[in-house]
Amino acid sequence: MKDNSKKDSEKVVWDQIQMRSPSGNPLVSGPSTRPIPKLMVWFFLFISVTYVVYTLKLLTTSAQQTCDESPFISSFHRTSLLLNKTTNLTSSTSISTSAPLVLNQTEEIATATAAPHREVREKLPVVVEVEKAAVPKPKPTEIHDVVFGIAASSKLWQQRKEYIKIWYRPEQMRGVVWLDDRVKYSPEDKKTLPPVRVSSDTSNFAYTNRQGHRSAIRISRIVTETLRMKHDNVRWFVMGDDDTVFITDNLVRILNKYDHNQFYYIGSLSESHIQNIFFSYGMAYGGGGFAISYPLAKALSKMQDRCIQRYPGLYGSDDRMQACMAELGVPLTKELGFHQYDVYGNLFGLLAAHPVTPLVSLHHLDVVEPIFPNATRVEALQKLMSPVKLDSAGIMQQSICYDKARSWTISVSWGFAVQVFRGIFSPREMEMPSRTFLNWYRRADYTAYAFNTRPVSRNPCQKPFMFYMSSARMDPELNKTVSEYERHRIPHPPCRWRMADPDELDRVIVNKKPDPQLWSRSPRRNCCRVMETKEGTMVVNVGVCKDGEVSEI
């Protein structure tokens, strides 16, 4: 009986405990008793100690994270000060309003440090963007940032100085002509030409190539000698020959694509595949011109004389320059607008299908025929400068379109010539130069070019009717250039095709709006549209292709 009564009393106590909530309140109504107060005190004490320990640990971790992110906080403080400075908050009211801005940002960071690192990193780019916005953009390269080094011969000076006068503007440009001997330099020359200098003696350099001439050593040092003249604020040195003509506006457009603070060696190859094999496909041909950034020219000047001594067997100046560039580890950056023109004969095929890139230079002008008929070489080049002044970006750029009613193909080389063909030729065929020229190696055939060409058609009906530019002017009312192209009268063989005959045309008028930003966009040929053809005159409009417009056959 004693054991049973004891068990009953324990059961009553256990039932009372179970009927209480975790907070100690009874779950049901009834008498409330506190049979074990000590147990509850110990339970609450354990909870309190655990909470204190966890809080101390959390505060320690937050302090470490705040130390780690101190540069981030400093960046926020710098940004806040910069914002306060730029908004000119100098009054007492401004100070009182700017202080909470820094405080609030600091509080946000303290809150972020208690959160995962991911949230802190997400806020970091915002600060970086604010700091970057304060950095001014570098000014674009202009022509006065360029210094020309022109290689010239005293024997040919009186003849070739006329080429330099065509493109050089003393009031805007800087350059030096480097000669092998003294020449007559008249007061008139001083107004129209760069200053002349005689190159330093190179007799102490070894030269063992039997086919070449040791003047190659003198010419290869022109960039270094020009650098040592200590011109101010130079970004680029541009090398060229005395029989080279530069389109300087397009040269600047090309150079603006590159960072002048980096090492750049910019130029192009020869048109002759054999020349490139014999010398190098990684070499800039100096006659067509090449550009060297100022830092690279400075690095070159420190080692070039030693470099030249290591290559006595090389032929010319260009391959010596490329050998030193190879030692510096700088490859050629190719720009197709630099033209060496290692060809003979008529340049028409090359110029009428100029690649989609700015025309930068023309070389070997004494070797090829004048680019315009019935004119001297100098007169022809002076004539080319007329459209260059109106729209230098578009000079020589090809456009292809069709007069489908007459089944004619029209190719416009703006500022130079227009061709009209009987029949329909695809753009793929028209953009290949026709072989009106001969290879630098006279025994070589068309397979010895470093680019695709197409033969001059033997079919008398497919012989093009050529129209050369006669004049170019600006129409201020329409804000367009108006260039006229007159028929080049040469005998045409008879054609038996029953179709409209281009022989009835006397001239072509091309309207084109100047587009200085042409090369700021992705490369693309302009489109042309035949507007009307009547009374021996064809009117063509050339411009940026419209949405969906293609040269469709």
Side-chain angles (χ1 to χ4, degrees):
M1 292 293 293
K2 185 177 181 179
D3 292 338
N4 292 336
S5 61
K6 184 178 181 180
K7 289 179 181 180
D8 291 339
S9 62
E10 290 176 352
K11 183 177 180 181
V12 171
V13 172
W14 177 249
D15 291 341
Q16 291 176 347
I17 294 174
Q18 283 184 323
M19 294 177 67
R20 292 180 181 273
S21 68
S23 61
N25 297 324
L27 295 176
V28 295
S29 58
S32 175
T33 59
R34 297 177 181 269
I36 47 173
K38 290 184 179 181
L39 180 61
M40 297 302 296
V41 170
W42 281 106
F43 176 77
F44 281 110
L45 182 63
F46 173 77
I47 294 297
S48 300
V49 172
T50 304
Y51 178 79
V52 171
V53 172
Y54 178 80
T55 304
L56 290 174
K57 185 176 180 181
L58 183 62
L59 291 174
T60 304
T61 305
S62 300
Q64 290 177 353
Q65 290 176 348
T66 304
C67 293
D68 292 341
E69 297 294 335
S70 58
F72 178 48
I73 298 174
S74 300
S75 177
F76 262 108
H77 281 285
R78 288 196 302 271
T79 306
S80 302
L81 293 175
L82 178 62
L83 292 173
N84 291 336
K85 184 177 180 181
T86 55
T87 52
N88 296 321
L89 300 178
T90 56
S91 63
S92 58
T93 305
S94 300
I95 295 173
S96 64
T97 55
S98 62
L101 175 63
V102 179
L103 180 61
N104 291 339
Q105 290 172 341
T106 309
E107 289 174 353
E108 288 177 6
I109 297 164
T111 305
T113 53
H117 284 285
R118 181 179 60 82
E119 296 182 3
V120 178
R121 286 196 296 269
E122 287 176 353
K123 293 185 179 182
L124 181 58
V126 177
V127 182
V128 174
E129 290 298 327
V130 174
E131 292 184 344
K132 283 184 177 180
V135 179
K137 292 183 179 180
K139 294 181 179 179
T141 295
E142 298 180 3
I143 192 62
H144 56 75
D145 298 318
V146 178
V147 175
F148 292 91
I150 303 170
S153 168
S154 58
K155 294 180 180 179
L156 300 171
W157 171 245
Q158 296 303 322
Q159 172 186 342
R160 291 188 171 179
K161 69 180 182 180
E162 300 302 323
Y163 293 130
I164 303 174
K165 291 179 181 179
I166 292 171
W167 62 270
Y168 190 79
R169 301 188 293 273
E171 69 280 1
Q172 300 177 18
M173 302 178 188
R174 295 185 289 174
V176 182
V177 176
W178 293 94
L179 292 153
D180 54 346
D181 202 353
R182 295 181 181 275
V183 296
K184 292 182 180 180
Y185 194 73
S186 66
E188 182 63 27
D189 291 341
K190 190 174 183 180
K191 296 178 182 179
T192 56
L193 292 169
V196 296
R197 298 286 187 274
V198 177
S199 299
S200 59
D201 182 33
T202 57
S203 59
N204 59 323
F205 291 94
Y207 187 86
T208 60
N209 192 296
R210 295 181 179 180
Q211 297 178 336
H213 194 276
R214 65 175 302 110
S215 62
I217 297 175
R218 173 185 75 85
I219 296 173
S220 67
R221 299 179 74 251
I222 283 179
V223 172
T224 295
E225 290 199 270
T226 306
L227 172 73
R228 290 171 182 170
M229 295 183 68
K230 297 182 179 180
H231 293 86
D232 295 330
N233 302 319
V234 180
R235 292 187 177 187
W236 298 92
F237 291 97
V238 175
M239 172 78 180
D241 283 358
D242 52 359
D243 61 339
T244 302
V245 168
F246 287 98
I247 310 298
T248 52
D249 291 342
N250 286 339
L251 172 66
V252 171
R253 287 186 175 96
I254 290 293
L255 297 181
N256 265 312
K257 293 167 56 178
Y258 304 99
D259 183 359
H260 63 275
N261 295 309
Q262 305 296 324
F263 282 15
Y264 276 107
Y265 167 50
I266 303 170
S268 192
L269 308 177
S270 170
E271 289 73 19
S272 170
H273 177 55
I274 299 174
Q275 284 276 87
N276 293 327
I277 290 177
F278 186 76
F279 293 104
S280 172
Y281 265 99
M283 180 186 87
Y285 282 72
F290 60 81
I292 292 180
S293 59
Y294 181 84
L296 179 56
K298 198 170 180 179
L300 175 69
S301 66
K302 296 177 182 178
M303 54 81 72
Q304 188 176 26
D305 287 352
R306 301 193 309 273
C307 173
I308 291 174
Q309 292 284 31
R310 289 191 281 272
Y311 302 97
L314 294 180
Y315 174 85
S317 60
D318 303 339
D319 44 359
R320 279 178 170 75
M321 180 67 73
Q322 194 268 333
C324 297
M325 290 295 163
E327 291 192 0
L328 288 168
V330 180
L332 173 65
T333 299
K334 297 177 184 178
E335 285 288 349
L336 299 179
F338 293 88
H339 294 295
Q340 173 72 6
Y341 284 147
D342 281 340
V343 295
Y344 291 100
N346 194 335
L347 288 179
F348 183 87
L350 290 170
L351 297 179
H354 192 274
V356 185
T357 192
L359 173 66
V360 177
S361 66
L362 304 167
H363 181 230
H364 275 152
L365 300 171
D366 277 348
V367 176
V368 297
E369 298 174 6
I371 62 174
F372 287 104
N374 305 319
T376 66
R377 291 178 172 86
V378 173
E379 289 173 347
L381 292 164
Q382 289 172 339
K383 187 177 182 179
L384 182 67
M385 292 297 127
S386 177
V388 167
K389 293 176 183 177
L390 298 177
D391 187 8
S392 57
I395 190 69
M396 293 288 180
Q397 293 306 303
Q398 185 186 26
S399 301
I400 302 167
C401 54
Y402 303 94
D403 186 339
K404 294 186 178 180
R406 295 173 176 82
S407 296
W408 290 351
T409 299
I410 296 95
S411 173
V412 178
S413 178
W414 188 85
F416 174 56
V418 175
Q419 299 177 83
V420 179
F421 294 82
R422 294 185 183 95
I424 303 298
F425 294 81
S426 69
R428 184 175 184 271
E429 186 174 3
M430 293 303 301
E431 68 183 9
M432 285 192 291
S434 60
R435 293 196 285 269
T436 62
F437 47 89
L438 300 173
N439 198 280
W440 193 249
Y441 293 87
R442 296 183 184 274
R443 294 183 179 181
D445 61 7
Y446 68 93
T447 61
Y449 296 119
F451 51 90
N452 296 117
T453 61
R454 61 184 174 89
V456 176
S457 178
R458 295 183 179 181
N459 188 325
C461 293
Q462 292 182 336
K463 188 175 182 179
F465 291 79
M466 294 184 291
F467 301 78
Y468 285 95
M469 189 208 68
S470 58
S471 66
R473 61 183 175 84
M474 187 71 185
D475 187 333
E477 294 182 1
L478 299 176
N479 191 28
K480 289 185 178 181
T481 62
V482 180
S483 52
E484 295 189 8
Y485 303 77
E486 291 185 356
R487 169 86 174 275
H488 182 46
R489 292 290 177 178
I490 55 175
H492 267 259
C495 174
R496 297 181 179 179
W497 287 2
R498 295 181 179 179
M499 62 185 303
D501 191 356
D503 190 57
E504 299 175 358
L505 292 177
D506 296 318
R507 65 174 183 165
V508 177
I509 298 176
V510 178
N511 298 320
K512 180 181 184 295
K513 186 176 180 179
D515 188 6
Q517 303 303 318
L518 175 64
W519 304 111
S520 300
R521 304 185 292 271
S522 60
R524 186 184 182 186
R525 280 199 319 264
N526 277 332
C527 288
C528 67
R529 307 112 191 165
V530 178
M531 307 306 293
E532 63 176 357
T533 303
K534 62 180 181 180
E535 298 179 358
T537 301
M538 174 186 287
V539 179
V540 178
N541 181 267
V542 169
V544 177
C545 297
K546 301 175 183 177
D547 187 25
E549 185 176 11
V550 295
S551 299
E552 195 168 12
I553 298 176

